[in-house]
Amino acid sequence: MEETKKEKAGFFYKLANFVVNKRKAILILFIISCIASVFCKDLVKVNQDITKYLPDTSETHIGLTTMNEEFVTYGSIKLMLSNVTFKQAEELSKKLENIDGVKEVTYATDEEHYKGTDSLLSLTIYGGDDDEASIDTLQEISDQLNGYDYYISTSVGATQRESDALDKDMIVILSLSVLIIVAVLFISTKAYAEIPVLLITFGVAALLNMGTNFLLGEISSITNSIAVVLQLALAIDYAIILCDRYMEEHEYLDSVEACKVALSKAIPEISSSSLTTISGMVALMFMRFRLGYDMGIVLVKAILLSLLSVFFLMPSIILIFAKAIDKSQHKSHVPHITFVGKFASATKYIIPPLFVAVIVVAFIISSKCTYLYDTSSVPSNKITEDQAAKNKINETFGAENQLVVMIPKGDYESEAILIHNLEKLPYVKSVLGLANQQINDQYVVTDKLTPRQFAELTDLDIEVVQLLYSAYAYNAGQYGPIVTGITDYAVPVVDMFMYLYDQYAEGYVNLSEELDDTLTTLHDKLADGQLQLKGENYTRLVLNIDKAVEGEETYAAMDEIRAEANKLYGDDVLLVGNSTSARDLESSFATDNLIISILTALFVMIILFFTFQSAGLPVLLVLTIQGSIWINFTVPSLTGQGIYFIAYLIVSAIQMGATIDYAIVISSRYMVLRKEMSLKNAIVETIDKAFPTIFTSGTILTCAGFLIGNISSNASIAAIGIALGRGTLISIILVIFVLPQILMLGDIILEKTSLTMNIAGIKKEQKGKMSVTGHLRGYVNGMVDADVVGTVQGEMQVYVDTRLPRGAVEITDLENQIEEKPRLAIEDALEGGESNE
């Protein structure tokens, strides 16, 4: 057993020795990787549409896929003019209609388009929302509006505008985050020159993560925006741990050897510390809503690359700055907080019961929190020009919620009945479909006309029309009317017009010049309508409903609309829109929330179980952090604001995975000290010594969250930031002011649930410079419970394990060259004799 331990310890030192000795080659490899990452990060595809991450079986995913395959969707623009007369707005609408790329401009005298001195123009432009031609057309429209007081709301070019705004926001956020990190490190580090070491190490890790994202093919805009800041907040601890280790070792060793020893000790410590954070990110990857997988895998990769940067790059950076570190050493400015430990001891019977009561209430309140699923419903501290324009238009002319109903094509009569039934619903403002598109005051395009009616409509000779109908019937395989007579054979207007145009284009029908222009104009209009409303398998109806994007009333309205369509078309009906997307997201949320809650807690508890060899301690720690999560989400519930569902899912996983480390820092130190001193002294010492670590990490993560929340103009990203910052702050407060009391009150539980027996041993006290080989537990300028091979300078209070082979531990006083014989001490102790110390 001892040989195995030595081999393990030896492995980490050998690895550290290799890294330090080969540091120049490793540094060159990192420089090459950074250069490659600079170019590769521009290859990363960023997806702005989160609905693409819905399960393949969701109606929104199926509906959007079908709609994109079968229909052409033109870009649309809402333009509100303020302080204009109706005539001025009408003149401008005609001018805008003449712009190349503008398909049509809709403007009328009704209240939907004109109120007081405000006019609303609806423009349709050729091309999709992200087409360059569409964006150019939008720019031309904007150029024509000089001198007007106007507001434009459109999805044309919105992706690029959102991306540009987000990039600007993140530059500000990242810059402020760096300033905060520098300020925190200025307070908490032992040498000012440590700060550039830490920043360089993190900067390289962040760059490598951004550069390797292209390997994933595509990542979401949410992940792309906040991954760097979260990586900074979650992983900078690892670099701090190595720096602290180096400073400790460098007190007695030269810089190179200190770096080797520090790295050999830091690798297992940092790797263990990262497990709980990684577990929270892994839990995200199990979400049905695949945005969780997208963010989880990027953050797991970020943490792993941070570990690699700390283990392999940071030693060379430390040695480059070694002299500067020596010259810039200073005392830590983090204050001592022994009063907190004394408070914990005095309130150990008061705080835990109160905490239990608080988290029960918090659980009940947070479970009643309103979850938001559409970004337009999410409040934000900062809004873009697009959002401001949309809000202004909605305030003046009312919000518009568009819903698409796709039904099997071909049955125009059923379509007409459905449109009629839908138009009677009180919340349906308008319905657009082929079956209600007027040709004139008498007919719509789907009406079936006999040859005589069609001849009257088109002013064609009846004989020509009858021949045309006969040819149509023959091509359609409908031979009955040809045999029995074509007189009463009726064909939908749109189908006959399209057939007539085809025959005219082929030269089979001759038309007058006047009729030629009329037919061509009508054909273009009908063809355009079919592209938008009639596909290969489905016909599309576009509804504007007077309901919010999400909510029970909206979902009830959708069910009623679906029921009307099902009466005529059975179950082969698809609904698509922001409301269906919100409903599908709500449906996946319940499952994902359960998955993340269970998996995160399970992963963390398993890791803690093996770390502490205790069944009770993991429960106490997870309960503390889970309590902080429930308390966190009582805030939006109590303020009536609601929380964006993605923010809840992501922050729950990150808060558990990352802030559990704070609880581990306190509990691990306390578990050792409680065996060496009174519980009161142990908790006072624990909190005071653990506070600098919690202060550094917690302050950075809290500030990063609040910066994202208050600066980002993207509502979903801002919601994540606010919840993360608030949650981390609550976790810190509970870990410092509540967890200590829980640990003290639960001391018996910890003792009874420990899976390891107390080590029988002999306490040894020695001062000076010592050479140590073997397993010790106790204090050496602090706590130690490890296989030790090396030199100790200072005061040592340790227990020698009596269960180890005789003579396994050797302690030599290097100053007086007196070798202690723990073997003899063990023998005397076992025999009940007097110790030889």
Coordinates of all heavy atoms in Angstrom, one line a residue, residues 743-811:
L743 N -22.3 22.5 10.2 CA -21.3 21.5 10.4 C -21.1 21.2 11.9 O -20.9 20.1 12.4 CB -19.9 22.0 9.8 CG -19.9 22.1 8.3 CD1 -18.6 22.8 7.9 CD2 -20.0 20.7 7.7
M744 N -21.1 22.3 12.7 CA -20.9 22.1 14.2 C -22.1 21.3 14.8 O -21.9 20.4 15.6 CB -20.8 23.5 14.9 CG -19.6 24.2 14.5 SD -19.4 25.8 15.4 CE -18.9 25.2 17.0
L745 N -23.3 21.7 14.4 CA -24.5 21.0 15.0 C -24.6 19.5 14.5 O -25.0 18.7 15.2 CB -25.8 21.7 14.6 CG -27.1 21.3 15.3 CD1 -27.0 21.4 16.8 CD2 -28.3 22.0 14.7
G746 N -24.1 19.4 13.3 CA -24.1 18.0 12.7 C -22.9 17.2 12.9 O -22.6 16.2 12.2
D747 N -22.1 17.6 13.9 CA -20.8 17.0 14.1 C -21.0 15.5 14.4 O -20.2 14.6 13.9 CB -20.0 17.6 15.2 CG -18.6 17.2 15.3 OD1 -17.8 17.7 14.4 OD2 -18.2 16.5 16.2
I748 N -22.0 15.1 15.2 CA -22.2 13.7 15.5 C -22.6 13.0 14.2 O -22.1 11.8 14.0 CB -23.3 13.6 16.6 CG1 -22.9 14.3 17.9 CG2 -23.7 12.2 16.8 CD1 -23.9 14.3 19.0
I749 N -23.4 13.6 13.4 CA -23.8 12.9 12.1 C -22.5 12.7 11.3 O -22.4 11.6 10.7 CB -24.8 13.8 11.4 CG1 -26.1 14.0 12.2 CG2 -25.1 13.2 10.0 CD1 -27.1 15.0 11.5
L750 N -21.7 13.7 11.2 CA -20.4 13.5 10.4 C -19.6 12.3 10.9 O -19.0 11.6 10.2 CB -19.6 14.8 10.4 CG -20.3 16.0 9.9 CD1 -19.4 17.2 9.9 CD2 -20.8 15.8 8.4
E751 N -19.5 12.3 12.3 CA -18.7 11.2 12.9 C -19.3 9.8 12.6 O -18.6 8.9 12.3 CB -18.6 11.5 14.4 CG -17.7 10.6 15.1 CD -16.2 10.9 14.8 OE1 -15.9 12.1 14.6 OE2 -15.4 9.9 14.8
K752 N -20.7 9.7 12.7 CA -21.3 8.4 12.6 C -21.4 8.0 11.2 O -21.4 6.8 10.9 CB -22.7 8.5 13.2 CG -22.8 8.8 14.7 CD -22.2 7.7 15.5 CE -22.4 7.9 17.0 NZ -21.8 6.8 17.8
T753 N -21.4 8.9 10.2 CA -21.5 8.5 8.8 C -20.2 8.4 8.1 O -20.1 8.2 6.9 CB -22.4 9.5 8.0 OG1 -21.8 10.8 8.1 CG2 -23.8 9.5 8.6
S754 N -19.1 8.6 8.8 CA -17.7 8.5 8.2 C -17.4 7.1 7.9 O -17.7 6.2 8.7 CB -16.7 9.1 9.1 OG -15.4 8.9 8.6
L755 N -16.9 6.8 6.7 CA -16.6 5.5 6.3 C -15.2 5.0 6.6 O -14.8 3.9 6.4 CB -16.8 5.3 4.7 CG -18.2 5.7 4.2 CD1 -18.3 5.3 2.7 CD2 -19.3 4.9 5.0
T756 N -14.4 6.0 7.1 CA -13.0 5.6 7.5 C -12.9 5.7 9.0 O -13.4 6.6 9.7 CB -12.0 6.6 6.9 OG1 -12.4 7.9 7.3 CG2 -12.1 6.5 5.4
M757 N -12.2 4.7 9.6 CA -11.9 4.7 11.0 C -10.9 5.7 11.4 O -10.0 6.1 10.6 CB -11.4 3.3 11.4 CG -12.5 2.2 11.2 SD -11.8 0.6 11.7 CE -11.7 0.9 13.5
N758 N -11.0 6.2 12.6 CA -10.0 7.2 13.1 C -8.7 6.6 13.1 O -8.5 5.4 13.5 CB -10.4 7.7 14.5 CG -11.6 8.5 14.5 OD1 -11.9 9.2 13.5 ND2 -12.4 8.5 15.6
I759 N -7.7 7.3 12.6 CA -6.3 6.8 12.6 C -5.7 6.7 14.0 O -5.7 7.7 14.6 CB -5.4 7.6 11.7 CG1 -5.9 7.5 10.2 CG2 -4.0 7.2 11.7 CD1 -5.2 8.4 9.3
A760 N -5.3 5.5 14.4 CA -4.7 5.4 15.7 C -3.3 5.9 15.5 O -2.6 5.5 14.6 CB -4.7 4.0 16.1
G761 N -2.8 6.8 16.3 CA -1.5 7.3 16.1 C -0.9 8.0 17.3 O -1.5 8.1 18.3
I762 N 0.3 8.5 17.1 CA 1.0 9.1 18.2 C 1.3 10.6 17.7 O 1.8 10.8 16.6 CB 2.3 8.4 18.5 CG1 2.0 7.0 18.9 CG2 3.1 9.2 19.5 CD1 3.3 6.1 19.1
K763 N 0.9 11.5 18.6 CA 1.1 12.9 18.2 C 2.6 13.3 18.4 O 3.2 13.0 19.4 CB 0.2 13.8 19.1 CG 0.3 15.3 18.7 CD -0.7 16.1 19.5 CE -0.7 17.5 19.1 NZ -1.7 18.3 19.8
K764 N 3.1 13.9 17.4 CA 4.5 14.3 17.4 C 4.6 15.8 17.2 O 3.9 16.4 16.4 CB 5.3 13.6 16.3 CG 5.4 12.1 16.5 CD 6.2 11.5 15.3 CE 7.6 12.0 15.3 NZ 8.3 11.6 16.6
E765 N 5.4 16.5 18.0 CA 5.6 17.9 17.9 C 7.1 18.2 17.7 O 7.9 17.7 18.5 CB 5.1 18.7 19.1 CG 3.6 18.5 19.3 CD 3.1 19.4 20.5 OE1 3.9 20.3 20.9 OE2 1.9 19.2 20.9
Q766 N 7.4 19.0 16.7 CA 8.8 19.3 16.4 C 8.9 20.6 15.7 O 8.0 21.0 14.9 CB 9.4 18.1 15.6 CG 10.9 18.2 15.5 CD 11.5 16.9 15.2 OE1 11.0 15.8 15.5 NE2 12.7 16.9 14.6
K767 N 10.0 21.3 15.9 CA 10.2 22.6 15.3 C 11.5 22.6 14.5 O 12.4 21.8 14.8 CB 10.2 23.7 16.3 CG 8.9 23.9 17.0 CD 9.0 25.1 18.0 CE 7.6 25.3 18.8 NZ 7.7 26.4 19.7
G768 N 11.6 23.5 13.6 CA 12.9 23.6 12.8 C 12.8 23.1 11.4 O 11.7 23.0 10.8
K769 N 13.9 22.7 10.8 CA 13.9 22.2 9.5 C 14.0 20.7 9.5 O 14.9 20.1 10.1 CB 15.1 22.8 8.7 CG 15.2 22.5 7.2 CD 16.3 23.2 6.6 CE 16.3 23.0 5.1 NZ 17.4 23.7 4.4
M770 N 13.1 20.0 8.9 CA 13.0 18.6 9.0 C 12.9 17.9 7.6 O 12.2 18.5 6.7 CB 11.7 18.2 9.8 CG 11.8 18.6 11.3 SD 10.2 18.9 12.0 CE 9.9 20.5 11.3
S771 N 13.4 16.8 7.5 CA 13.3 15.9 6.3 C 12.2 14.9 6.6 O 12.3 14.2 7.7 CB 14.6 15.3 5.9 OG 14.3 14.3 4.9
V772 N 11.2 14.8 5.8 CA 10.0 13.9 6.1 C 9.8 13.0 5.0 O 9.8 13.3 3.8 CB 8.7 14.8 6.3 CG1 7.6 13.8 6.7 CG2 9.0 15.8 7.4
T773 N 9.6 11.7 5.3 CA 9.2 10.7 4.4 C 8.2 9.8 5.0 O 8.4 9.2 6.0 CB 10.4 9.8 4.0 OG1 11.5 10.6 3.5 CG2 10.0 8.8 2.9
G774 N 7.0 9.8 4.4 CA 5.9 8.9 5.0 C 4.6 9.6 5.0 O 4.4 10.7 4.6
H775 N 3.6 9.0 5.7 CA 2.3 9.5 5.8 C 2.1 10.2 7.1 O 2.3 9.6 8.2 CB 1.3 8.3 5.7 CG -0.1 8.8 5.6 ND1 -0.8 9.1 4.4 CD2 -1.0 9.1 6.6 CE1 -2.0 9.5 4.7 NE2 -2.2 9.5 6.0
L776 N 1.7 11.5 7.0 CA 1.5 12.3 8.2 C 0.1 12.9 8.1 O -0.5 13.1 7.1 CB 2.5 13.5 8.3 CG 4.0 13.1 8.3 CD1 4.8 14.3 8.4 CD2 4.3 12.2 9.5
R777 N -0.4 13.3 9.3 CA -1.7 14.0 9.3 C -1.6 15.0 10.5 O -1.3 14.6 11.6 CB -2.9 13.0 9.6 CG -4.2 13.7 9.7 CD -5.4 12.7 9.7 NE -5.3 11.9 11.0 CZ -5.8 12.3 12.2 NH1 -6.3 13.5 12.3 NH2 -5.6 11.6 13.2
G778 N -1.9 16.3 10.1 CA -1.8 17.3 11.2 C -1.4 18.6 10.6 O -1.8 19.0 9.5
Y779 N -0.6 19.3 11.3 CA -0.2 20.7 10.9 C 1.3 20.8 10.6 O 2.1 20.3 11.3 CB -0.4 21.7 12.1 CG -1.9 22.1 12.2 CD1 -2.7 21.5 13.0 CD2 -2.3 23.2 11.4 CE1 -4.1 21.8 13.1 CE2 -3.6 23.5 11.4 CZ -4.5 22.9 12.3 OH -5.8 23.3 12.3
V780 N 1.6 21.4 9.5 CA 2.9 21.8 9.1 C 2.7 23.2 8.5 O 2.5 23.3 7.3 CB 3.6 20.8 8.1 CG1 5.0 21.3 7.8 CG2 3.6 19.4 8.6
N781 N 2.9 24.2 9.3 CA 2.5 25.6 8.9 C 1.1 25.6 8.2 O 0.9 26.2 7.2 CB 3.5 26.1 7.8 CG 4.8 26.6 8.4 OD1 4.8 26.9 9.6 ND2 5.9 26.6 7.7
G782 N 0.3 24.8 8.9 CA -1.1 24.6 8.3 C -1.4 23.1 8.4 O -0.6 22.3 9.0
M783 N -2.5 22.7 7.8 CA -2.9 21.3 7.9 C -2.3 20.5 6.8 O -2.0 20.9 5.7 CB -4.4 21.2 7.7 CG -5.0 19.9 7.9 SD -5.0 18.9 6.3 CE -6.1 19.9 5.3
V784 N -1.9 19.2 7.1 CA -1.5 18.3 6.1 C -2.0 16.9 6.4 O -2.1 16.5 7.5 CB 0.1 18.2 6.0 CG1 0.7 17.7 7.3 CG2 0.5 17.3 4.9
D785 N -2.5 16.2 5.3 CA -2.9 14.8 5.4 C -2.5 14.2 4.1 O -3.3 14.2 3.2 CB -4.4 14.7 5.7 CG -4.9 13.3 5.9 OD1 -4.0 12.4 5.9 OD2 -6.1 13.1 6.1
A786 N -1.3 13.7 4.0 CA -0.7 13.4 2.7 C 0.5 12.5 2.8 O 1.1 12.3 3.9 CB -0.4 14.6 1.9
D787 N 0.9 11.9 1.7 CA 2.1 11.2 1.6 C 3.2 12.3 1.4 O 3.1 13.1 0.4 CB 2.2 10.2 0.4 CG 1.2 9.1 0.7 OD1 1.2 8.5 1.8 OD2 0.5 8.8 -0.3
V788 N 4.1 12.4 2.3 CA 5.1 13.5 2.2 C 6.5 13.0 1.9 O 7.0 12.1 2.6 CB 5.1 14.3 3.6 CG1 6.1 15.4 3.5 CG2 3.7 14.8 3.9
V789 N 7.1 13.6 0.9 CA 8.5 13.4 0.6 C 9.1 14.7 0.4 O 8.9 15.4 -0.6 CB 8.7 12.5 -0.6 CG1 10.2 12.3 -0.9 CG2 8.0 11.2 -0.5
G790 N 9.9 15.2 1.4 CA 10.5 16.5 1.2 C 10.9 17.1 2.5 O 11.1 16.4 3.5
T791 N 11.1 18.4 2.5 CA 11.7 19.1 3.6 C 10.6 20.1 4.2 O 9.8 20.7 3.5 CB 12.9 20.0 3.2 OG1 13.9 19.1 2.7 CG2 13.5 20.7 4.4
V792 N 10.5 20.1 5.5 CA 9.5 21.0 6.2 C 10.3 22.0 7.0 O 11.2 21.6 7.8 CB 8.6 20.1 7.1 CG1 7.7 21.0 7.9 CG2 7.8 19.2 6.2
Q793 N 9.9 23.2 7.0 CA 10.5 24.3 7.8 C 9.4 24.9 8.6 O 8.4 25.4 8.1 CB 11.2 25.3 6.9 CG 11.7 26.6 7.6 CD 12.9 26.2 8.4 OE1 13.8 25.6 7.9 NE2 13.0 26.7 9.7
G794 N 9.5 24.8 9.9 CA 8.5 25.5 10.7 C 8.2 24.5 11.9 O 8.9 23.7 12.3
E795 N 6.9 24.7 12.3 CA 6.5 23.9 13.5 C 5.6 22.8 13.0 O 4.7 23.0 12.1 CB 5.7 24.8 14.4 CG 5.1 24.1 15.7 CD 4.4 25.0 16.6 OE1 4.6 26.2 16.4 OE2 3.7 24.5 17.5
M796 N 5.7 21.6 13.5 CA 5.0 20.4 13.0 C 4.3 19.8 14.2 O 4.9 19.5 15.2 CB 5.9 19.4 12.3 CG 5.2 18.2 11.8 SD 6.2 17.3 10.6 CE 7.6 16.9 11.7
Q797 N 2.9 19.6 14.0 CA 2.1 18.9 15.0 C 1.4 17.9 14.2 O 0.4 18.2 13.5 CB 1.1 19.8 15.7 CG 1.8 20.9 16.6 CD 0.8 21.8 17.2 OE1 -0.3 21.9 16.7 NE2 1.2 22.4 18.3
V798 N 1.8 16.6 14.2 CA 1.2 15.6 13.3 C 1.0 14.3 14.1 O 1.5 14.1 15.2 CB 2.2 15.3 12.1 CG1 2.4 16.5 11.3 CG2 3.5 14.7 12.6
Y799 N 0.2 13.5 13.5 CA -0.1 12.1 14.0 C 0.6 11.1 13.1 O 0.4 11.2 11.9 CB -1.6 11.8 14.1 CG -2.3 12.5 15.2 CD1 -2.8 13.8 15.1 CD2 -2.5 11.8 16.4 CE1 -3.4 14.4 16.1 CE2 -3.1 12.4 17.5 CZ -3.6 13.7 17.3 OH -4.2 14.3 18.4
V800 N 1.4 10.2 13.7 CA 2.0 9.2 12.9 C 1.1 8.0 12.9 O 0.7 7.5 14.0 CB 3.4 8.8 13.5 CG1 4.0 7.6 12.7 CG2 4.3 10.0 13.5
D801 N 0.8 7.5 11.7 CA -0.1 6.4 11.6 C 0.4 5.1 12.1 O 1.4 4.5 11.6 CB -0.5 6.2 10.1 CG -1.7 5.3 9.9 OD1 -2.1 4.6 10.9 OD2 -2.3 5.3 8.8
T802 N -0.2 4.5 13.2 CA 0.3 3.3 13.8 C 0.0 2.1 13.0 O 0.5 1.0 13.3 CB -0.2 3.1 15.2 OG1 -1.7 3.0 15.1 CG2 0.2 4.3 16.1
R803 N -0.9 2.2 12.0 CA -1.2 1.0 11.2 C -0.3 0.8 10.1 O -0.4 -0.2 9.4 CB -2.7 1.2 10.6 CG -3.7 1.4 11.7 CD -5.1 1.7 11.1 NE -5.0 2.9 10.3 CZ -6.0 3.3 9.4 NH1 -7.0 2.6 9.3 NH2 -5.8 4.4 8.8
L804 N 0.6 1.7 9.8 CA 1.6 1.5 8.8 C 2.7 0.6 9.2 O 2.9 0.4 10.4 CB 2.2 2.9 8.4 CG 1.2 3.9 7.7 CD1 1.9 5.2 7.5 CD2 0.6 3.3 6.5
P805 N 3.5 0.0 8.3 CA 4.6 -0.9 8.7 C 5.6 -0.1 9.6 O 5.8 1.1 9.5 CB 5.2 -1.2 7.3 CG 4.1 -1.0 6.3 CD 3.3 0.1 6.8
R806 N 6.2 -0.9 10.4 CA 7.2 -0.3 11.4 C 8.3 0.4 10.6 O 8.9 -0.1 9.7 CB 7.8 -1.3 12.3 CG 6.7 -1.9 13.2 CD 7.4 -2.8 14.2 NE 6.4 -3.3 15.2 CZ 6.7 -3.9 16.3 NH1 8.0 -4.2 16.6 NH2 5.8 -4.3 17.2
G807 N 8.6 1.6 11.1 CA 9.7 2.4 10.4 C 9.3 3.0 9.1 O 10.1 3.5 8.4
A808 N 7.9 3.1 8.8 CA 7.5 3.6 7.5 C 7.7 5.1 7.4 O 7.8 5.7 6.4 CB 6.1 3.2 7.2
V809 N 7.6 5.8 8.6 CA 7.7 7.2 8.6 C 9.0 7.6 9.3 O 9.4 7.2 10.3 CB 6.5 7.8 9.5 CG1 6.6 9.4 9.5 CG2 5.2 7.4 8.9
E810 N 9.7 8.5 8.6 CA 11.0 9.0 9.1 C 11.0 10.5 9.2 O 10.6 11.2 8.2 CB 12.2 8.5 8.2 CG 12.4 7.0 8.2 CD 13.6 6.6 7.3 OE1 14.2 7.5 6.8 OE2 13.8 5.4 7.3
I811 N 11.4 11.0 10.3 CA 11.4 12.5 10.5 C 12.8 12.8 11.0 O 13.2 12.3 12.1 CB 10.4 13.0 11.5 CG1 9.0 12.6 11.0 CG2 10.5 14.5 11.6 CD1 7.9 12.9 12.0

